[in-house]
Amino acid sequence: MSQEHNESLQIQEITKLKPKHFADLVRSAQLVFDPTAGVSGRHITVDWEQFGIPRDVADNLKSLGQHYQYASPHIPVEDIWSKLTPETRIWFVENKDRLWQLEEAFPALDED
């Protein structure tokens, strides 16, 4: 077993986070970075604190979203975990089952 695989399993075991939670976090971070999903000419200002995301966590998520702006949300767990601040890690563990709701608040722009 590789060291990365062991690290990923340890993170998941300790935090009770699953790969789907990390994918949800990446999609959420992409939204925090760009709530318009890259549509030119659209600008949205979002108060992330109204979504329960503290400012320091939103800043960390914005950085993560920028880094993975066009990436698939299925990124190795250890890569994501290493980019999270301690405050974001705590927030993530506490909010792991609510991240999908953030996506629902920003419906796809091609939907009616």
Side-chain angles (χ1 to χ4, degrees):
M1 216 181 274
S2 72
Q3 181 178 354
E4 291 84 13
H5 184 69
N6 282 337
E7 185 178 351
S8 175
L9 289 176
Q10 287 176 335
I11 292 167
Q12 292 177 62
E13 185 177 312
I14 291 168
T15 63
K16 306 299 184 215
L17 294 167
K18 298 177 180 159
K20 73 174 185 126
H21 295 123
F22 283 89
D24 287 345
L25 181 69
V26 170
R27 285 189 292 270
S28 296
Q30 289 167 334
L31 279 172
V32 170
F33 172 65
D34 183 7
T36 67
V39 175
S40 63
R42 288 194 70 178
H43 300 283
I44 298 174
T45 302
V46 179
D47 179 358
W48 295 110
E49 290 179 340
Q50 288 186 336
F51 286 93
I53 304 173
R55 187 170 308 223
D56 59 336
V57 172
D59 289 344
N60 188 211
L61 292 178
K62 186 174 185 177
S63 174
L64 185 71
Q66 182 177 18
H67 185 80
Y68 293 112
Q69 183 176 10
Y70 300 111
S72 162
H74 303 286
I75 297 163
V77 166
E78 62 278 1
D79 291 352
I80 299 300
W81 192 253
S82 70
K83 291 176 176 49
L84 302 179
T85 63
E87 295 82 12
T88 303
R89 289 177 179 182
I90 292 166
W91 178 87
F92 178 31
V93 170
E94 291 174 352
N95 292 279
K96 67 183 181 279
D97 294 321
R98 297 180 353 159
L99 292 173
W100 65 270
Q101 294 172 341
L102 187 59
E103 284 183 80
E104 295 295 317
F106 294 87
L109 297 172
D110 61 352
E111 291 182 358
D112 292 312

